[in-house]
Amino acid sequence: DIQMTQSPSTLSASVGDRVNITCRASQDISSWLAWYQQKPGKAPKLLIYKASSLQRGVPSRFSGSGSGTEFTLTISSLQPDDSATYYCQQYKSYALTFGGGAKVEIK
Amino acid sequence: EVQLVESGGGLIQPGGSLRLSCAASGFTVRSNYMSWVRQAPGKGLEWVSAIYSGGNIQYGESVKGRFTVSSDSSRNTLYLQMNSLRAEDTAVYYCARSRSTTEGHAFDIWGQGTMVTVSS
């Protein structure tokens, strides 16, 4: 299976800060990567698909970049509502696999 | 409105069986790739199984041989039959729809989840 490794696992930032979360794949997954946001007690929400395509209805402060084995989710200006855990997921091949998550806290 | 609603979770003893349901509205289950994804308490997300058009089926290694995914087009519902349940199967189980049948499994629609607890 393809292993997905996220970093950092937790981060604390202030409103308005630029935040980057990294996701590394154990092998080349081209651009077959999605990013999700999950708040406590809720289902995940798709933010980004195909590494850099913004899902309809998602604020433009979220963006994704990368290809191959290294990917980044960027929040350009952190908002209070962005406090959540973020997961990457590869869909290059079965078994579909997720990263361990990155918890974003607001200072 | 496009939505998924899971049901069927509960408390079950180790070795027991349970069937989860996921009722879809606003789209047709059989025309989409559908998956089950689970999340153990306080842990990350784990993909469990996927099905497309009733015949193209995949399972994660941890559930292969114990879980069976199926769909009923007349009810527009996805199912997960879980047998030989273990304590490590304890999780919230989500059903999810892949946003595309040609561009892989990014999940754009998720249900609210149903909790399965395996304990004596």
Side-chain angles (χ1 to χ4, degrees):
Chain A
D1 294 357
I2 299 173
Q3 307 303 315
M4 306 300 292
T5 304
Q6 288 184 237
S7 61
S9 56
T10 61
L11 72 90
S12 182
S14 300
V15 171
D17 282 355
R18 184 180 184 88
V19 168
N20 290 315
I21 298 168
T22 298
C23 179
R24 288 188 173 86
S26 61
Q27 59 187 268
D28 188 343
I29 59 169
S30 184
S31 295
W32 300 116
L33 184 102
W35 289 97
Y36 301 89
Q37 176 193 67
Q38 187 180 34
K39 297 183 178 181
K42 299 295 187 181
K45 172 187 174 183
L46 178 64
L47 301 175
I48 302 287
Y49 63 95
K50 218 171 174 185
S52 61
S53 296
L54 190 69
Q55 174 69 0
R56 190 182 312 167
V58 174
S60 58
R61 64 180 179 273
F62 292 94
S63 64
S65 63
S67 67
T69 62
E70 189 151 337
F71 303 86
T72 302
L73 174 70
T74 298
I75 308 173
S76 61
S77 177
L78 191 67
Q79 300 301 303
D81 189 51
D82 301 336
S83 178
T85 300
Y86 294 83
Y87 294 94
C88 61
Q89 176 226 333
Q90 68 81 20
Y91 50 102
K92 172 72 163 59
S93 64
Y94 292 111
L96 309 179
T97 46
F98 293 86
K103 187 174 183 179
V104 174
E105 299 173 340
I106 309 294
K107 280 183 187 172
Chain B
E1 182 188 5
V2 174
Q3 67 173 355
L4 295 166
V5 178
E6 299 98 336
S7 60
L11 174 63
I12 187 77
Q13 290 191 338
S17 297
L18 208 57
R19 188 178 81 157
L20 306 183
S21 299
C22 171
S25 55
F27 71 97
T28 304
V29 162
R30 204 163 179 89
S31 300
N32 287 270
Y33 274 96
M34 300 295 299
S35 284
W36 288 96
V37 176
R38 67 184 181 183
Q39 186 169 36
K43 301 298 184 183
L45 300 165
E46 179 187 14
W47 170 79
V48 172
S49 179
I51 184 170
Y52 175 61
S53 197
N56 184 345
I57 292 174
Q58 301 284 340
Y59 296 100
E61 204 59 43
S62 62
V63 307
K64 207 173 285 185
R66 299 188 300 124
F67 290 11
T68 302
V69 64
S70 62
S71 63
D72 183 338
S73 56
S74 66
R75 288 183 164 80
N76 204 28
T77 297
L78 179 72
Y79 300 100
L80 185 67
Q81 177 67 42
M82 303 185 296
N83 299 330
S84 303
L85 282 161
R86 306 166 179 166
E88 54 265 36
D89 296 319
T90 295
V92 174
Y93 284 74
Y94 297 100
C95 60
R97 184 188 80 170
S98 298
R99 64 173 299 282
S100 169
T101 57
T102 57
E103 290 194 330
H105 301 282
F107 304 123
D108 65 341
I109 304 295
W110 294 70
Q112 84 287 356
T114 186
M115 182 71 204
V116 172
T117 303
V118 183
S119 174
S120 54

